[in-house]
Structures are given as structure tokens and as C-alpha cells.
Amino acid sequence: MRSGQRFLGAILLLLADTFCFGLTYFLVDLFQAYFPGGPRFLVYHNFWINVSIWVILAHYLGVYRAYVEYKLDVLLRQSWRALVVQQLVVAFFLKWNTGHFYFEQVIFIKVGLLFFFIFAVRLLLLRIDYIIENRSNHFNRIGIYGLNLDAIQLASRFEMQYHGRKFAGIINEEKVLSRSEDALPLYIQVLRAIDYAQEVNIRELFVCVPTHYIHDLNYLFQEAEKKFVRLNIVPSTMDQRRWAYPVQQELGIHFITHRVKPLDSLANRMIKRVFDIVFSLLIIVLVLSWLYPILAVIIKLQSKGPVIFKQQRTGRGNKVFWCYKFRSMRVNDASDRVQAVKDDVRLTRIGAFIRKTSLDEFPQFINVLLGDMSVVGPRPHMLYHSETYQRLVEGFTFRHFVKPGITGLAQISGLRGEVDGQEILQARIQKDIEYIENWSIIQDLKICFLTIYFLFVGDENAY
């Protein structure tokens, strides 16, 4: 896991902890306001000093690292220790500075509230994580193929330590091979395991087999990617090859994977989702609320048909969803197979304008709010085009490991508009892959800014 991902996860929990301290101090001071007697709590308890002591101790004891790595037992144990030490340090400074501990009448209320809020917010965040993983289609089930020491160790660690995903268990040979197929080459057995993982909705598969018998790992990675299964291969001890693939570590086990995706991190996904919700709400309230009635009247006056055009598109995990746009064309039977081209005869006058200015895409902020799309990501294709492009371009399905977006890196790089050849399609896919592998919230903000810029200056590929 990258240091940047750890930092983002730590910031998330740090903000929650700061809120817990603030709420505790507010309630204690409120209690003293109703039951006066002795010095006020906040006079001698500086909020920021107390929080600073907590942050130093929590960082030293690995509290935030445990949260990012989904180690529930370590998280709760180290949080308890950090809180006890923090309270002892605060008590020592009070005694040293004033000669008294003070607030004997509220000390148990303060400590009790802090313990309650600190642990409640952790359980709440972990519960939110559990709900998100169960309701989404994003690698929420994990499995292991193989039965050796590495597989047993990995399985025991997955079962003992919370990691934000469901452990589906060890897939043995009996589940993927018949008795007559026991002598199949090892890489064929792995392919069968990948097929089985797809059937039972396992989104991440760890392969623990003698890898020195497998020579073409790239083929295995490509086949797994086509079936939306993230393949992780645990090298055997006898395999001394130098790998050309990223080597990662999880729960003390090193494994080889095809591509590294920052959005595999729960903290990163939560940050992106919060940005999507806030940004889409602002657009819906400040822009779409008045833009919709104006365009609705003009669209209705110029041609018959609905104001909103909805079409099935391919989303994350190859899931189909309804994508919304302002209708820019006259109603026709070819809209689900034929993409728009320059000077398309199907366009209405207002349709040509809203497509040129990208105003037709604004209803997709509703898709973002519903969770089907993101503000930034690979553009979703029609179902027919997704099936066609998947056969033409290697790595096309990798785009579907994340939510599609209203805008993306390919769009601001001059690769929007009609796909009139495999070379253009390949370049667009490469930009999508580059975006996924190097995602950051800063990159999303940059893409949004450049999209707004092109909205005003114009884009020759927008039609």
C-alpha cells in the first residue's frame, strides 16, 4: 500500500477523532454550566494541546496505520492504549502546572465520553465500510486457489484480521476440475480457477501454486482482467525469477499483480465518493435547477420526444446502468448502435449547441449522485460498443474496474468525440488506464478545471 493512501486514510480517522474530542469537551463544559462548582473545565484543558498529544501518541502506536490496513484487533487495542496514555499525560501536566488535577467531579464523565466516542466512531466507520463493500460491486469477495503453506497462512490472516472484504474461502481443485482433469497443466488449472471465481462473484483471487511451472503470467493476467477478476499470484519459494510486474504485500504475504490501482484503497474511494457527492449536489442545485426548465422548453419546441434521453451503458464491473442526457437528436432507431458524428443529420439545432458546449451531459450528475458514475473517470460506452471494443483492444475491460465518469483524462487530452479508427480507440484506452493507475484527488480536480476551461474556449472534437 502506498504511503499516499495511508496518509489519506489517517486524515479521515484523524478528523473523526478531532470531532470526538471537540464533542466531549463541549458536553463536559455544558454539564458544568448546568451544575456549577469549582473551576470550569475548559479553563485548564486546552483543546488543541490535548488533541496534539493524542495525535502524537496515536501515530506512535500505529492507530491510523491499523485503520488503513483494516486490522480491527490492532486498531481497537492500540486506540485503547493511546487513550489511556493520553489521559495520564494530560493529568501529569495539570498536576505539574497547577498542583492539582482539578475536575474530580467531571473526570469520569470526560474519560467515559472520550472512550465511548472514540470507539463508537471506529465501529461506525468500519460498519460504513462493510455496507459500502456489500452494496457495491467492487472486489468485495476474495478467494484463494491452491492448498499449500502460503495459502493456509494467507487464509488464516484473512479470517483473523478485518480487511474490508469478504473472504470466500480456499478454492480447492475439486471445485474447478473433474477427476479426469487432474493432470492438466498448471496454468490451465489456474484458468479454470479464474472462470470459477467469475461464476461465484469472487472479485480478487490469490493463486498459491508452484509458480516455477508457469511461464506465461501475462496471459493469465489478461484472461482474469477480461472476467473482472483481480489476479494476485504468490510466488513459490523455488521461483527465483525477477518479475516485470508490481510486487505488493498484504498481511505479510508478498504477491505479484498486473496493475496497481490507488482506488483499491477504501480511504481513496471514500474521498472520491465524498467529492462526487459534494460536486454533483452543487451542480444540480446551482446549475441544473434552472438549466433544466429552459432546455426542456426549447427541446420540446424543436422536436417531439422526451427531454431526457436515457440509454443503457456499461459501468463498473460490467454492470449495466441507465445513463441520462439532455436529448440532442430527433427520436431514431439507431441511437443504441450508431454514435454521433460530425454534422450528424439526426441533431436538432439546440442539440448541436448543447453537444458542442457539453450541456447535454449535465443530467449525468444525477447518475453520479445515484452512485452509477463518478465526476471523473473513463467515459461509459453503449453496450454494443463495449462488446465490440473489448474484442479489438487489449486492456479495454480494465476501464470497468472503476466507475465511469462525466469527464476524464482522455477527454481533456483531445481524445473525445467519434471513434473513427482503432488507433484513436487505443490512444483513448491508454489514457483511461493511465488515469486509473495514477489516480489522485488532485488529478480529479485538475481534470475538472480543464473541462470547465474547454467548456468556455471550445473543443473541436465536441459535436
Side-chain angles (χ1 to χ4, degrees), residues 133-172:
E133 296 292 348
N134 274 274
R135 291 186 178 180
S136 69
N137 192 32
H138 189 80
F139 306 128
N140 57 341
R141 300 191 72 217
I142 186 170
I144 298 174
Y145 178 69
L147 191 58
N148 54 28
L149 182 60
D150 287 333
I152 295 172
Q153 289 179 346
L154 194 58
S156 64
R157 293 175 188 181
F158 281 146
E159 289 175 340
M160 292 175 59
Q161 299 190 15
Y162 180 83
H163 47 83
R165 291 162 292 180
K166 288 182 178 179
F167 179 50
I170 293 179
I171 303 171
N172 54 40

mmCIF file of all heavy atoms in Angstrom, residues 133-172:
data_model
loop_
_atom_site.group_PDB
_atom_site.id
_atom_site.type_symbol
_atom_site.label_atom_id
_atom_site.label_comp_id
_atom_site.label_asym_id
_atom_site.label_seq_id
_atom_site.Cartn_x
_atom_site.Cartn_y
_atom_site.Cartn_z
ATOM 1 N N GLU A 133 -19.000 -2.011 0.910
ATOM 2 C CA GLU A 133 -18.472 -3.165 0.198
ATOM 3 C C GLU A 133 -19.572 -4.145 -0.178
ATOM 4 O O GLU A 133 -19.501 -4.828 -1.188
ATOM 5 C CB GLU A 133 -17.411 -3.877 1.059
ATOM 6 C CG GLU A 133 -16.181 -3.049 1.346
ATOM 7 C CD GLU A 133 -15.356 -2.790 0.100
ATOM 8 O OE1 GLU A 133 -15.606 -3.428 -0.943
ATOM 9 O OE2 GLU A 133 -14.468 -1.945 0.162
ATOM 10 N N ASN A 134 -20.632 -4.253 0.665
ATOM 11 C CA ASN A 134 -21.721 -5.181 0.374
ATOM 12 C C ASN A 134 -22.651 -4.656 -0.710
ATOM 13 O O ASN A 134 -23.197 -5.426 -1.494
ATOM 14 C CB ASN A 134 -22.525 -5.468 1.643
ATOM 15 C CG ASN A 134 -21.921 -6.594 2.457
ATOM 16 O OD1 ASN A 134 -22.184 -7.759 2.227
ATOM 17 N ND2 ASN A 134 -21.070 -6.243 3.410
ATOM 18 N N ARG A 135 -22.858 -3.338 -0.740
ATOM 19 C CA ARG A 135 -23.778 -2.765 -1.716
ATOM 20 C C ARG A 135 -23.119 -2.484 -3.051
ATOM 21 O O ARG A 135 -23.787 -2.294 -4.050
ATOM 22 C CB ARG A 135 -24.386 -1.473 -1.170
ATOM 23 C CG ARG A 135 -25.334 -1.719 -0.021
ATOM 24 C CD ARG A 135 -26.032 -0.443 0.390
ATOM 25 N NE ARG A 135 -26.983 -0.692 1.457
ATOM 26 C CZ ARG A 135 -27.736 0.250 2.021
ATOM 27 N NH1 ARG A 135 -27.644 1.508 1.603
ATOM 28 N NH2 ARG A 135 -28.576 -0.052 2.984
ATOM 29 N N SER A 136 -21.799 -2.425 -3.051
ATOM 30 C CA SER A 136 -21.094 -2.136 -4.298
ATOM 31 C C SER A 136 -20.713 -3.432 -4.992
ATOM 32 O O SER A 136 -20.880 -4.519 -4.477
ATOM 33 C CB SER A 136 -19.838 -1.299 -4.024
ATOM 34 O OG SER A 136 -18.877 -2.084 -3.337
ATOM 35 N N ASN A 137 -20.200 -3.285 -6.187
ATOM 36 C CA ASN A 137 -19.739 -4.437 -6.957
ATOM 37 C C ASN A 137 -18.236 -4.354 -7.120
ATOM 38 O O ASN A 137 -17.692 -4.627 -8.174
ATOM 39 C CB ASN A 137 -20.431 -4.447 -8.324
ATOM 40 C CG ASN A 137 -20.226 -5.760 -9.056
ATOM 41 O OD1 ASN A 137 -20.129 -6.794 -8.437
ATOM 42 N ND2 ASN A 137 -20.153 -5.711 -10.371
ATOM 43 N N HIS A 138 -17.544 -3.933 -6.059
ATOM 44 C CA HIS A 138 -16.128 -3.585 -6.179
ATOM 45 C C HIS A 138 -15.273 -4.500 -5.302
ATOM 46 O O HIS A 138 -15.014 -4.205 -4.145
ATOM 47 C CB HIS A 138 -15.931 -2.134 -5.779
ATOM 48 C CG HIS A 138 -14.549 -1.635 -6.070
ATOM 49 N ND1 HIS A 138 -14.130 -1.242 -7.312
ATOM 50 C CD2 HIS A 138 -13.480 -1.479 -5.256
ATOM 51 C CE1 HIS A 138 -12.865 -0.847 -7.256
ATOM 52 N NE2 HIS A 138 -12.464 -0.982 -6.026
ATOM 53 N N PHE A 139 -14.856 -5.631 -5.840
ATOM 54 C CA PHE A 139 -13.897 -6.511 -5.168
ATOM 55 C C PHE A 139 -14.291 -6.806 -3.715
ATOM 56 O O PHE A 139 -13.457 -6.742 -2.821
ATOM 57 C CB PHE A 139 -12.494 -5.894 -5.202
ATOM 58 C CG PHE A 139 -12.028 -5.529 -6.563
ATOM 59 C CD1 PHE A 139 -11.551 -4.272 -6.828
ATOM 60 C CD2 PHE A 139 -12.091 -6.428 -7.600
ATOM 61 C CE1 PHE A 139 -11.133 -3.919 -8.096
ATOM 62 C CE2 PHE A 139 -11.679 -6.089 -8.869
ATOM 63 C CZ PHE A 139 -11.193 -4.837 -9.115
ATOM 64 N N ASN A 140 -15.567 -7.104 -3.475
ATOM 65 C CA ASN A 140 -15.965 -7.329 -2.090
ATOM 66 C C ASN A 140 -15.854 -8.783 -1.673
ATOM 67 O O ASN A 140 -16.143 -9.119 -0.535
ATOM 68 C CB ASN A 140 -17.394 -6.816 -1.850
ATOM 69 C CG ASN A 140 -18.398 -7.458 -2.786
ATOM 70 O OD1 ASN A 140 -18.006 -8.005 -3.813
ATOM 71 N ND2 ASN A 140 -19.660 -7.393 -2.438
ATOM 72 N N ARG A 141 -15.470 -9.663 -2.599
ATOM 73 C CA ARG A 141 -15.247 -11.058 -2.233
ATOM 74 C C ARG A 141 -13.857 -11.465 -2.696
ATOM 75 O O ARG A 141 -13.428 -11.171 -3.807
ATOM 76 C CB ARG A 141 -16.307 -11.966 -2.857
ATOM 77 C CG ARG A 141 -17.723 -11.625 -2.426
ATOM 78 C CD ARG A 141 -18.700 -12.698 -2.850
ATOM 79 N NE ARG A 141 -18.532 -13.901 -2.044
ATOM 80 C CZ ARG A 141 -18.647 -15.132 -2.533
ATOM 81 N NH1 ARG A 141 -18.887 -15.320 -3.807
ATOM 82 N NH2 ARG A 141 -18.515 -16.185 -1.749
ATOM 83 N N ILE A 142 -13.174 -12.142 -1.812
ATOM 84 C CA ILE A 142 -11.791 -12.513 -2.075
ATOM 85 C C ILE A 142 -11.634 -14.010 -1.856
ATOM 86 O O ILE A 142 -12.237 -14.588 -0.955
ATOM 87 C CB ILE A 142 -10.850 -11.710 -1.144
ATOM 88 C CG1 ILE A 142 -9.403 -11.954 -1.495
ATOM 89 C CG2 ILE A 142 -11.091 -12.020 0.311
ATOM 90 C CD1 ILE A 142 -8.462 -11.018 -0.767
ATOM 91 N N GLY A 143 -10.880 -14.677 -2.726
ATOM 92 C CA GLY A 143 -10.687 -16.114 -2.620
ATOM 93 C C GLY A 143 -9.236 -16.502 -2.822
ATOM 94 O O GLY A 143 -8.414 -15.703 -3.286
ATOM 95 N N ILE A 144 -8.919 -17.752 -2.474
ATOM 96 C CA ILE A 144 -7.564 -18.275 -2.617
ATOM 97 C C ILE A 144 -7.653 -19.594 -3.383
ATOM 98 O O ILE A 144 -8.476 -20.454 -3.067
ATOM 99 C CB ILE A 144 -6.898 -18.521 -1.246
ATOM 100 C CG1 ILE A 144 -6.763 -17.210 -0.471
ATOM 101 C CG2 ILE A 144 -5.537 -19.182 -1.411
ATOM 102 C CD1 ILE A 144 -6.253 -17.392 0.947
ATOM 103 N N TYR A 145 -6.823 -19.732 -4.415
ATOM 104 C CA TYR A 145 -6.727 -21.012 -5.128
ATOM 105 C C TYR A 145 -5.384 -21.647 -4.813
ATOM 106 O O TYR A 145 -4.334 -21.030 -4.948
ATOM 107 C CB TYR A 145 -6.863 -20.818 -6.633
ATOM 108 C CG TYR A 145 -6.706 -22.126 -7.391
ATOM 109 C CD1 TYR A 145 -7.678 -23.112 -7.294
ATOM 110 C CD2 TYR A 145 -5.568 -22.369 -8.165
ATOM 111 C CE1 TYR A 145 -7.528 -24.313 -7.964
ATOM 112 C CE2 TYR A 145 -5.420 -23.577 -8.844
ATOM 113 C CZ TYR A 145 -6.400 -24.544 -8.735
ATOM 114 O OH TYR A 145 -6.246 -25.733 -9.384
ATOM 115 N N GLY A 146 -5.440 -22.920 -4.417
ATOM 116 C CA GLY A 146 -4.222 -23.634 -4.045
ATOM 117 C C GLY A 146 -4.313 -24.101 -2.611
ATOM 118 O O GLY A 146 -5.080 -23.566 -1.798
ATOM 119 N N LEU A 147 -3.541 -25.108 -2.290
ATOM 120 C CA LEU A 147 -3.553 -25.617 -0.921
ATOM 121 C C LEU A 147 -2.124 -25.970 -0.523
ATOM 122 O O LEU A 147 -1.680 -27.109 -0.612
ATOM 123 C CB LEU A 147 -4.470 -26.841 -0.817
ATOM 124 C CG LEU A 147 -4.784 -27.333 0.601
ATOM 125 C CD1 LEU A 147 -5.440 -26.223 1.408
ATOM 126 C CD2 LEU A 147 -5.669 -28.559 0.573
ATOM 127 N N ASN A 148 -1.407 -24.934 -0.098
ATOM 128 C CA ASN A 148 -0.065 -25.124 0.415
ATOM 129 C C ASN A 148 0.097 -24.246 1.655
ATOM 130 O O ASN A 148 -0.871 -23.649 2.136
ATOM 131 C CB ASN A 148 0.994 -24.802 -0.653
ATOM 132 C CG ASN A 148 0.816 -23.406 -1.243
ATOM 133 O OD1 ASN A 148 0.293 -22.502 -0.587
ATOM 134 N ND2 ASN A 148 1.249 -23.229 -2.486
ATOM 135 N N LEU A 149 1.320 -24.168 2.161
ATOM 136 C CA LEU A 149 1.551 -23.424 3.399
ATOM 137 C C LEU A 149 1.208 -21.946 3.231
ATOM 138 O O LEU A 149 0.596 -21.336 4.121
ATOM 139 C CB LEU A 149 3.009 -23.589 3.845
ATOM 140 C CG LEU A 149 3.393 -22.904 5.169
ATOM 141 C CD1 LEU A 149 2.549 -23.451 6.319
ATOM 142 C CD2 LEU A 149 4.883 -23.099 5.452
ATOM 143 N N ASP A 150 1.572 -21.354 2.077
ATOM 144 C CA ASP A 150 1.255 -19.941 1.833
ATOM 145 C C ASP A 150 -0.252 -19.718 1.827
ATOM 146 O O ASP A 150 -0.745 -18.726 2.376
ATOM 147 C CB ASP A 150 1.850 -19.492 0.497
ATOM 148 C CG ASP A 150 3.358 -19.328 0.554
ATOM 149 O OD1 ASP A 150 3.864 -19.059 1.669
ATOM 150 O OD2 ASP A 150 4.019 -19.467 -0.492
ATOM 151 N N ALA A 151 -0.990 -20.618 1.196
ATOM 152 C CA ALA A 151 -2.447 -20.484 1.121
ATOM 153 C C ALA A 151 -3.073 -20.576 2.515
ATOM 154 O O ALA A 151 -3.977 -19.796 2.851
ATOM 155 C CB ALA A 151 -3.023 -21.562 0.210
ATOM 156 N N ILE A 152 -2.594 -21.506 3.321
ATOM 157 C CA ILE A 152 -3.154 -21.677 4.676
ATOM 158 C C ILE A 152 -2.842 -20.460 5.541
ATOM 159 O O ILE A 152 -3.706 -19.960 6.278
ATOM 160 C CB ILE A 152 -2.593 -22.966 5.316
ATOM 161 C CG1 ILE A 152 -3.089 -24.192 4.526
ATOM 162 C CG2 ILE A 152 -3.016 -23.057 6.778
ATOM 163 C CD1 ILE A 152 -2.453 -25.486 4.953
ATOM 164 N N GLN A 153 -1.608 -19.953 5.452
ATOM 165 C CA GLN A 153 -1.240 -18.762 6.226
ATOM 166 C C GLN A 153 -2.062 -17.549 5.802
ATOM 167 O O GLN A 153 -2.555 -16.791 6.635
ATOM 168 C CB GLN A 153 0.253 -18.469 6.048
ATOM 169 C CG GLN A 153 1.171 -19.463 6.737
ATOM 170 C CD GLN A 153 2.638 -19.141 6.520
ATOM 171 O OE1 GLN A 153 2.984 -18.334 5.656
ATOM 172 N NE2 GLN A 153 3.517 -19.764 7.296
ATOM 173 N N LEU A 154 -2.224 -17.372 4.494
ATOM 174 C CA LEU A 154 -2.988 -16.233 3.981
ATOM 175 C C LEU A 154 -4.450 -16.337 4.394
ATOM 176 O O LEU A 154 -5.066 -15.343 4.804
ATOM 177 C CB LEU A 154 -2.863 -16.184 2.456
ATOM 178 C CG LEU A 154 -3.315 -14.900 1.754
ATOM 179 C CD1 LEU A 154 -2.533 -13.704 2.278
ATOM 180 C CD2 LEU A 154 -3.133 -15.028 0.253
ATOM 181 N N ALA A 155 -5.011 -17.534 4.313
ATOM 182 C CA ALA A 155 -6.417 -17.733 4.698
ATOM 183 C C ALA A 155 -6.628 -17.433 6.177
ATOM 184 O O ALA A 155 -7.614 -16.785 6.552
ATOM 185 C CB ALA A 155 -6.841 -19.159 4.380
ATOM 186 N N SER A 156 -5.704 -17.901 7.016
ATOM 187 C CA SER A 156 -5.861 -17.655 8.455
ATOM 188 C C SER A 156 -5.773 -16.168 8.777
ATOM 189 O O SER A 156 -6.492 -15.662 9.636
ATOM 190 C CB SER A 156 -4.786 -18.423 9.235
ATOM 191 O OG SER A 156 -3.484 -17.943 8.917
ATOM 192 N N ARG A 157 -4.943 -15.440 8.051
ATOM 193 C CA ARG A 157 -4.817 -13.993 8.289
ATOM 194 C C ARG A 157 -6.042 -13.246 7.785
ATOM 195 O O ARG A 157 -6.488 -12.284 8.403
ATOM 196 C CB ARG A 157 -3.545 -13.472 7.623
ATOM 197 C CG ARG A 157 -2.280 -14.030 8.279
ATOM 198 C CD ARG A 157 -1.009 -13.630 7.554
ATOM 199 N NE ARG A 157 0.149 -14.336 8.089
ATOM 200 C CZ ARG A 157 1.390 -14.182 7.660
ATOM 201 N NH1 ARG A 157 1.640 -13.327 6.684
ATOM 202 N NH2 ARG A 157 2.369 -14.864 8.192
ATOM 203 N N PHE A 158 -6.596 -13.685 6.656
ATOM 204 C CA PHE A 158 -7.823 -13.057 6.163
ATOM 205 C C PHE A 158 -8.976 -13.289 7.134
ATOM 206 O O PHE A 158 -9.825 -12.429 7.333
ATOM 207 C CB PHE A 158 -8.196 -13.609 4.785
ATOM 208 C CG PHE A 158 -7.414 -13.019 3.659
ATOM 209 C CD1 PHE A 158 -7.084 -13.781 2.552
ATOM 210 C CD2 PHE A 158 -6.998 -11.696 3.685
ATOM 211 C CE1 PHE A 158 -6.361 -13.243 1.500
ATOM 212 C CE2 PHE A 158 -6.276 -11.145 2.647
ATOM 213 C CZ PHE A 158 -5.948 -11.927 1.550
ATOM 214 N N GLU A 159 -9.043 -14.445 7.727
ATOM 215 C CA GLU A 159 -10.132 -14.765 8.647
ATOM 216 C C GLU A 159 -9.980 -14.040 9.982
ATOM 217 O O GLU A 159 -10.963 -13.681 10.622
ATOM 218 C CB GLU A 159 -10.181 -16.271 8.883
ATOM 219 C CG GLU A 159 -10.672 -17.060 7.674
ATOM 220 C CD GLU A 159 -10.604 -18.552 7.894
ATOM 221 O OE1 GLU A 159 -9.851 -18.988 8.797
ATOM 222 O OE2 GLU A 159 -11.284 -19.295 7.163
ATOM 223 N N MET A 160 -8.736 -13.809 10.406
ATOM 224 C CA MET A 160 -8.491 -13.202 11.716
ATOM 225 C C MET A 160 -8.516 -11.686 11.676
ATOM 226 O O MET A 160 -8.882 -11.047 12.661
ATOM 227 C CB MET A 160 -7.132 -13.672 12.259
ATOM 228 C CG MET A 160 -7.089 -15.137 12.626
ATOM 229 S SD MET A 160 -5.417 -15.640 13.105
ATOM 230 C CE MET A 160 -5.095 -14.541 14.474
ATOM 231 N N GLN A 161 -8.140 -11.096 10.558
ATOM 232 C CA GLN A 161 -7.965 -9.650 10.514
ATOM 233 C C GLN A 161 -8.961 -9.032 9.557
ATOM 234 O O GLN A 161 -9.129 -9.498 8.425
ATOM 235 C CB GLN A 161 -6.538 -9.294 10.077
ATOM 236 C CG GLN A 161 -5.492 -9.839 11.039
ATOM 237 C CD GLN A 161 -4.118 -9.290 10.737
ATOM 238 O OE1 GLN A 161 -3.976 -8.334 10.012
ATOM 239 N NE2 GLN A 161 -3.096 -9.893 11.321
ATOM 240 N N TYR A 162 -9.626 -7.987 10.031
ATOM 241 C CA TYR A 162 -10.597 -7.281 9.200
ATOM 242 C C TYR A 162 -9.856 -6.532 8.106
ATOM 243 O O TYR A 162 -8.890 -5.847 8.356
ATOM 244 C CB TYR A 162 -11.377 -6.285 10.051
ATOM 245 C CG TYR A 162 -12.399 -5.513 9.259
ATOM 246 C CD1 TYR A 162 -13.641 -6.064 9.007
ATOM 247 C CD2 TYR A 162 -12.112 -4.258 8.751
ATOM 248 C CE1 TYR A 162 -14.575 -5.372 8.272
ATOM 249 C CE2 TYR A 162 -13.037 -3.561 8.013
ATOM 250 C CZ TYR A 162 -14.276 -4.121 7.781
ATOM 251 O OH TYR A 162 -15.197 -3.434 7.059
ATOM 252 N N HIS A 163 -10.317 -6.668 6.865
ATOM 253 C CA HIS A 163 -9.630 -6.028 5.752
ATOM 254 C C HIS A 163 -10.594 -5.420 4.761
ATOM 255 O O HIS A 163 -10.216 -5.126 3.630
ATOM 256 C CB HIS A 163 -8.719 -7.032 5.038
ATOM 257 C CG HIS A 163 -9.387 -8.344 4.739
ATOM 258 N ND1 HIS A 163 -10.182 -8.519 3.644
ATOM 259 C CD2 HIS A 163 -9.401 -9.507 5.411
ATOM 260 C CE1 HIS A 163 -10.644 -9.766 3.643
ATOM 261 N NE2 HIS A 163 -10.185 -10.381 4.698
ATOM 262 N N GLY A 164 -11.854 -5.219 5.120
ATOM 263 C CA GLY A 164 -12.789 -4.514 4.264
ATOM 264 C C GLY A 164 -13.352 -5.339 3.119
ATOM 265 O O GLY A 164 -14.020 -4.805 2.247
ATOM 266 N N ARG A 165 -13.077 -6.660 3.093
ATOM 267 C CA ARG A 165 -13.592 -7.526 2.052
ATOM 268 C C ARG A 165 -14.067 -8.834 2.665
ATOM 269 O O ARG A 165 -13.643 -9.222 3.744
ATOM 270 C CB ARG A 165 -12.517 -7.798 0.992
ATOM 271 C CG ARG A 165 -12.157 -6.602 0.161
ATOM 272 C CD ARG A 165 -10.833 -6.790 -0.547
ATOM 273 N NE ARG A 165 -9.722 -6.820 0.403
ATOM 274 C CZ ARG A 165 -8.444 -6.966 0.047
ATOM 275 N NH1 ARG A 165 -8.143 -7.092 -1.217
ATOM 276 N NH2 ARG A 165 -7.490 -6.969 0.957
ATOM 277 N N LYS A 166 -14.934 -9.526 1.964
ATOM 278 C CA LYS A 166 -15.416 -10.820 2.436
ATOM 279 C C LYS A 166 -14.482 -11.925 1.960
ATOM 280 O O LYS A 166 -14.178 -12.010 0.768
ATOM 281 C CB LYS A 166 -16.822 -11.078 1.889
ATOM 282 C CG LYS A 166 -17.912 -10.244 2.511
ATOM 283 C CD LYS A 166 -19.251 -10.654 1.913
ATOM 284 C CE LYS A 166 -20.372 -9.870 2.554
ATOM 285 N NZ LYS A 166 -21.688 -10.235 1.975
ATOM 286 N N PHE A 167 -14.066 -12.780 2.862
ATOM 287 C CA PHE A 167 -13.216 -13.895 2.489
ATOM 288 C C PHE A 167 -14.111 -15.075 2.124
ATOM 289 O O PHE A 167 -14.834 -15.607 2.968
ATOM 290 C CB PHE A 167 -12.271 -14.250 3.630
ATOM 291 C CG PHE A 167 -11.377 -15.425 3.323
ATOM 292 C CD1 PHE A 167 -10.662 -15.466 2.134
ATOM 293 C CD2 PHE A 167 -11.253 -16.470 4.220
ATOM 294 C CE1 PHE A 167 -9.843 -16.538 1.840
ATOM 295 C CE2 PHE A 167 -10.431 -17.536 3.937
ATOM 296 C CZ PHE A 167 -9.727 -17.575 2.752
ATOM 297 N N ALA A 168 -14.066 -15.481 0.860
ATOM 298 C CA ALA A 168 -14.938 -16.552 0.372
ATOM 299 C C ALA A 168 -14.363 -17.935 0.632
ATOM 300 O O ALA A 168 -15.042 -18.939 0.424
ATOM 301 C CB ALA A 168 -15.192 -16.367 -1.127
ATOM 302 N N GLY A 169 -13.110 -18.003 1.062
ATOM 303 C CA GLY A 169 -12.514 -19.289 1.390
ATOM 304 C C GLY A 169 -11.483 -19.743 0.375
ATOM 305 O O GLY A 169 -11.179 -19.066 -0.611
ATOM 306 N N ILE A 170 -10.952 -20.951 0.619
ATOM 307 C CA ILE A 170 -9.970 -21.556 -0.279
ATOM 308 C C ILE A 170 -10.704 -22.359 -1.348
ATOM 309 O O ILE A 170 -11.601 -23.150 -1.038
ATOM 310 C CB ILE A 170 -8.998 -22.455 0.497
ATOM 311 C CG1 ILE A 170 -8.125 -21.604 1.439
ATOM 312 C CG2 ILE A 170 -8.110 -23.239 -0.464
ATOM 313 C CD1 ILE A 170 -7.151 -22.418 2.262
ATOM 314 N N ILE A 171 -10.340 -22.132 -2.602
ATOM 315 C CA ILE A 171 -10.917 -22.879 -3.719
ATOM 316 C C ILE A 171 -10.003 -24.074 -3.985
ATOM 317 O O ILE A 171 -8.855 -23.913 -4.420
ATOM 318 C CB ILE A 171 -11.013 -22.001 -4.983
ATOM 319 C CG1 ILE A 171 -11.824 -20.742 -4.692
ATOM 320 C CG2 ILE A 171 -11.612 -22.782 -6.141
ATOM 321 C CD1 ILE A 171 -11.778 -19.720 -5.814
ATOM 322 N N ASN A 172 -10.491 -25.270 -3.708
ATOM 323 C CA ASN A 172 -9.657 -26.446 -3.947
ATOM 324 C C ASN A 172 -9.881 -26.991 -5.354
ATOM 325 O O ASN A 172 -10.785 -26.560 -6.085
ATOM 326 C CB ASN A 172 -9.930 -27.532 -2.899
ATOM 327 C CG ASN A 172 -11.406 -27.880 -2.813
ATOM 328 O OD1 ASN A 172 -12.089 -27.950 -3.833
ATOM 329 N ND2 ASN A 172 -11.901 -28.099 -1.607
#
